[in-house]
Amino acid sequence: MRPICHLLTALCSLLAFATASNAQVPVLAQRVHSASKTGAQCVATLPQRPAPGAMLVACIGTNAQAGNATMSGGGVTQWQLCRAQTSTRSNAQIWVGRVDASPSRTCTVTFSNSQSRIEATVAEFRGTIGALQFAAEGSSGADTASIATASSAPIATSRGDLVIAMIATANASEAIPKPMPDWKPIANSATNAAWTACGFLVANAPTSIAMQWEFARAQDYATAVAAFRVGTVPTAAPSLRQHASNQMWNVSSLAVPLQNTPLPGSLLVVCHESNSSVDSRIQGGGVAQWTLCVSSAPAIVNSEIWAGIVGPNPTSSITITLGTSPNGAIASVSEWTGMPSPLAYQAELGSGPLGGTTARAPAVYADRHELIVAMAGIHQGANTIGTPSQSFTELMQSYLPSTAQSAAYRIATQPGPVSTTWPLTHSTRWAAPIVVFGGM
């Protein structure tokens, strides 16, 4: 066996897909693969609209003379090229973008001239907040090479980093093999005479990534790999700098003014309840891109938790625009300092579609110093939400004629699962989202 294979086998023991025992992990929410022949465009339509704040990754494969593509759509204002690699006859490109407040299912790849074949795979990942930080490499080989490598030098990764890799071939004479270390496939265009394949993995420990595909026969290939920094372990507990809340009945939007202007780099977390069956939209606070971490819409009531990192131009007001109006709306906004950067999250949703007298937020795994925010929402007048359990500190409670909300938080003091419950005076349908913010 070649020496590099020994290295990659060792790397496999350090890499694993995230399990329930980890805290924040990137989650593949959806994906789509599309191809076009003899044209300058390829359109990829996701099954559902991506979530605001989600990360879209596009893996593009075409012929060597294509040049760099132009990406548009998906609700991404600014697509960024991570890596483009060209061989004698193949071209591989990885693009990334953050979904803004106007998500779209359709993503379009455009070249300046017609291509013999374009393949595009678009994937939505959730679990990151803030700027997209990455390192990227690529490699290529002619028909004399049977082993395809993804980079001339390994990429150093930290625990929790998301690694995206792809390979493009001119016209493979065999099925594209699984790489080493193994990945979770995003898309593979065909089992034989394949053109492209792409996948992802999550680093479960600090290591170096050097992807490799071992063909039986020599192939022309181009490969690209991008490692996205997702989270770092908190070194100290975050601090609650301020909190504000507001509620109004029969409105189309709700403003929540903060007593103090938030600090650049702070984390703003919004717990929001409304009578709308469609997700709301948020702007303000100096956050360039708000992230919808979790929502119960449209299945049951509408309980949402949003988060965003304050940028260089903070403002003291947050505005929430309801998905449908007029409706009742409640919101809690908290500002947190001392959070790690980059920042990642894991979200879970508990719900009681058949009713009950206890609202239960499911368990999330949290490491020491990580922030856990949870909320309970109900849609019933003359009902009361009690105090949250498991040492959660309640930020607020608020009541409108037909909806109510409680928001609470806890700082983890040791690694382990964290959950909470709220007693309800009367049985009713409820939703209880929970989010843990921190590292991996």
Side-chain angles (χ1 to χ4, degrees), residues 162-219:
L162 171 66
V163 180
I164 304 290
M166 71 165 295
I167 181 170
T169 63
N171 189 7
S173 58
E174 61 185 278
I176 296 176
K178 287 185 177 181
M180 296 179 61
D182 199 6
W183 62 13
K184 187 171 184 178
I186 299 175
N188 194 338
S189 63
T191 55
N192 292 294
W195 287 72
T196 64
C198 58
F200 75 97
L201 51 83
V202 178
N204 221 23
T207 185
S208 296
I209 302 296
M211 304 293 293
Q212 174 180 311
W213 294 260
E214 188 166 354
F215 288 91
R217 296 175 293 278
Q219 307 290 336

Side-chain angles (χ1 to χ4, degrees), residues 302-354:
N302 191 8
S303 304
E304 307 173 10
I305 297 181
W306 293 73
I309 304 298
V310 179
N313 300 304
T315 63
S316 59
S317 182
I318 288 89
T319 301
I320 302 170
T321 303
L322 303 186
T324 59
S325 61
N327 270 306
I330 305 171
S332 159
V333 181
S334 55
E335 179 187 1
W336 300 88
T337 59
M339 299 297 292
S341 179
L343 184 62
Y345 72 89
Q346 179 193 352
E348 297 289 346
L349 174 65
S351 64
L354 300 179

Side-chain angles (χ1 to χ4, degrees), residues 63-121:
N63 56 295
Q65 292 73 38
N68 289 344
T70 299
M71 286 293 306
S72 61
V76 174
T77 301
Q78 184 64 54
W79 283 92
Q80 185 174 1
L81 176 62
C82 301
R83 180 74 185 193
Q85 189 71 34
T86 301
S87 68
T88 304
R89 293 180 289 148
S90 307
N91 183 292
Q93 301 181 26
I94 297 179
W95 291 75
V96 67
R98 181 77 76 180
V99 179
D100 63 17
S102 301
S104 168
R105 293 174 55 205
T106 302
C107 299
T108 304
V109 183
T110 304
F111 288 95
S112 58
N113 48 46
S114 181
Q115 306 301 315
S116 59
R117 182 177 177 91
I118 304 170
E119 292 199 358
T121 299

Side-chain angles (χ1 to χ4, degrees), residues 106-336:
T106 302
C107 299
T108 304
V109 183
T110 304
F111 288 95
S112 58
N113 48 46
S114 181
Q115 306 301 315
S116 59
R117 182 177 177 91
I118 304 170
E119 292 199 358
T121 299
V122 179
E124 176 189 359
F125 287 90
R126 302 177 189 176
T128 64
I129 300 174
L132 297 174
Q133 302 181 27
F134 64 88
E137 285 284 347
S139 183
S140 59
D143 291 327
T144 57
S146 61
I147 295 182
T149 57
S151 59
S152 56
I155 297 179
T157 58
S158 298
R159 180 171 179 253
D161 286 359
L162 171 66
V163 180
I164 304 290
M166 71 165 295
I167 181 170
T169 63
N171 189 7
S173 58
E174 61 185 278
I176 296 176
K178 287 185 177 181
M180 296 179 61
D182 199 6
W183 62 13
K184 187 171 184 178
I186 299 175
N188 194 338
S189 63
T191 55
N192 292 294
W195 287 72
T196 64
C198 58
F200 75 97
L201 51 83
V202 178
N204 221 23
T207 185
S208 296
I209 302 296
M211 304 293 293
Q212 174 180 311
W213 294 260
E214 188 166 354
F215 288 91
R217 296 175 293 278
Q219 307 290 336
D220 179 278
Y221 70 87
T223 63
V225 59
F228 295 89
R229 177 59 50 83
V230 173
T232 56
V233 177
T235 57
S239 298
L240 175 61
R241 181 170 182 258
Q242 62 179 324
H243 171 263
S245 62
N246 196 11
Q247 62 283 323
M248 295 186 71
W249 183 244
N250 285 343
V251 294
S252 59
S253 64
L254 178 68
V256 183
L258 297 172
Q259 183 176 357
N260 303 302
T261 302
L263 300 176
S266 290
L267 169 69
L268 294 182
V269 180
V270 176
C271 296
H272 167 51
E273 185 76 19
S274 80
N275 291 99
S276 172
S277 60
V278 178
D279 290 334
S280 298
R281 301 186 304 276
I282 298 184
Q283 61 183 4
V287 174
Q289 179 57 66
W290 283 95
T291 296
L292 177 58
C293 302
V294 59
S295 169
S296 65
I300 183 171
V301 292
N302 191 8
S303 304
E304 307 173 10
I305 297 181
W306 293 73
I309 304 298
V310 179
N313 300 304
T315 63
S316 59
S317 182
I318 288 89
T319 301
I320 302 170
T321 303
L322 303 186
T324 59
S325 61
N327 270 306
I330 305 171
S332 159
V333 181
S334 55
E335 179 187 1
W336 300 88

